Amino acid sequence: MSAADHSPSEKTAAVLTAVPLRGCAEHVTQRADLPAILEASRHDTPGLLRFLTWSASYHQAEAVRLEREARTALPALKAAEAAWRTAVQWVTLCPHPVLLLMLADPAPTH
């Protein structure tokens, strides 16, 4: 993005992508373990790509599910919050012993 928050032109984007990739490729070609890297990539890359593809789609679906659950739970959250606020007002205005017992934590069972 530019300083004015505009997307770069296609040509600029291509250059900004290609320059670091070229530098990275030049660095890798100078490594002594390049044959081992190439051999490992032939064996590991397809499995890694399958995993990454599965992972991305699974987590996108999970994010959609969780967002839907959050939206569904929002009214219940608001209702529970309103109930607690009402209970606090009751206790504050009229601290009746029965009300205090109803709101107290149950006794621990050991």
Side-chain angles (χ1 to χ4, degrees), residues 5-95:
D5 205 30
H6 294 117
S7 297
S9 68
E10 274 188 44
K11 186 174 182 178
T12 302
V15 169
L16 291 173
T17 302
V19 170
L21 290 176
R22 233 183 255 133
C24 181
E26 288 171 5
H27 171 74
V28 170
T29 58
Q30 296 172 5
R31 292 179 56 122
D33 59 348
L34 177 62
I37 292 172
L38 292 174
E39 184 62 27
S41 72
R42 280 194 272 287
H43 297 290
D44 297 341
T45 301
L48 179 60
L49 288 175
R50 281 192 302 277
F51 169 75
L52 291 173
T53 301
W54 168 84
S55 180
S57 64
Y58 171 80
H59 288 94
Q60 285 173 342
E62 190 70 4
V64 168
R65 182 185 69 77
L66 291 172
E67 186 177 342
R68 186 173 48 246
E69 279 184 22
R71 271 194 242 113
T72 302
L74 193 57
L77 172 67
K78 289 181 179 181
E81 183 182 356
W84 275 108
R85 288 181 189 270
T86 301
V88 167
Q89 287 175 348
W90 286 350
V91 169
T92 304
L93 297 174
C94 183

